[in-house]
Structures are given as C-alpha cells and as structure tokens.
Amino acid sequence: MSAIPREGDLAQEAEVVWLESTEDLDYVRQALDKVTTRRGKPRYERDGRLVGYTNLAPTAPRLPDSGLFPRRTFYLLPHDRPNRPDDPDGPYAVGSPLEAVDPRTIDVGKTGAKTARSQATAQIQAAST
C-alpha cells in the first residue's frame, strides 16, 4: 500500500537513489510504500517505470502495525507527460497528478514540490508570448 508522503514520514531517510537521470523529467510521482527492507531497490508493482527510491538509516525502526519500513519510491506511469514528449495534448498537457513533484526539489527528508515546470505552466506562458 502506498500513500502521499509528508515531511514527518521522512525523518529516517539516509539517501535518495535515482535509477535514471531526472534532467529531462518535468515531474515524477512519489509514494510512501511499505517495504521489507531499509535499503536497496524495492519491488515495483505498478505500471510504468521506477525512476528512484530512498534508502533509510540503518537504525530506522519498523512500523509497529505491519513490521515493514516506510520508504519513498519515485515513478512514472505510461500516460505521464515525461513518457509522451510527442503528445502535447495528452492527459497532463497542463498540470500534473496529485502525487507528482518536480524531481529537482526532492531531497533527503523533503517531499519535493510542484513548480511551474512540473505543472507545465512555463510552457504555456512561453507559448502565449
């Protein structure tokens, strides 16, 4: 099960690991997944692709209710704008999914934020001038 992470959920993070360059990605989706390990590439069971994940500190505790570890994953679904550069009228031609943030704003212990780039508002402003 996954959830949208909040700053308090990220206190045990030790590093963010990117599996690919985020230079050309307007946004990535982020989720707080419950997994069995503190470190290493977690299982990915969504459509699309895993772009990155976080590793936890060696002393990060397990969740008392499940015995699992809460870790962030960063991913893109097949219909996301970064996956469809030749489809300017796709589902996220403007805006982005609720759980999406600009990967340039992600850091250890910080959830990341929406920006003009992640919302595609920069492209709209440039096209209207």
Side-chain angles (χ1 to χ4, degrees):
M1 171 176 258
S2 63
I4 295 175
R6 298 175 304 206
E7 297 288 330
D9 298 327
L10 312 178
Q12 298 296 321
E13 286 186 347
E15 68 179 325
V16 176
V17 177
W18 294 109
L19 299 174
E20 61 184 78
S21 172
T22 58
E23 184 67 28
D24 294 327
L25 300 179
D26 296 344
Y27 65 80
V28 295
R29 293 174 186 250
Q30 67 176 345
L32 188 65
D33 293 338
K34 294 178 182 179
V35 300
T36 58
T37 61
R38 290 180 181 97
R39 302 186 58 78
K41 184 177 175 184
R43 285 179 50 178
Y44 181 74
E45 298 179 356
R46 295 179 178 90
D47 287 340
R49 69 187 199 261
L50 181 65
V51 177
Y53 58 89
T54 58
N55 284 325
L56 302 179
T59 57
R62 294 178 182 271
L63 294 170
D65 61 336
S66 65
L68 299 173
F69 298 100
R71 289 173 56 197
R72 278 191 295 171
T73 54
F74 308 103
Y75 62 100
L76 289 169
L77 296 179
H79 60 276
D80 282 330
R81 184 174 65 239
N83 285 335
R84 304 173 63 114
D86 298 330
D87 185 10
D89 298 321
Y92 295 109
V94 177
S96 65
L98 175 67
E99 66 274 20
V101 295
D102 185 332
R104 291 153 201 81
T105 66
I106 294 170
D107 202 357
V108 172
K110 299 197 182 304
T111 58
K114 292 192 182 291
T115 63
R117 183 178 181 130
S118 70
Q119 296 300 95
T121 54
Q123 291 92 321
I124 294 169
Q125 292 168 352
S128 65
T129 57

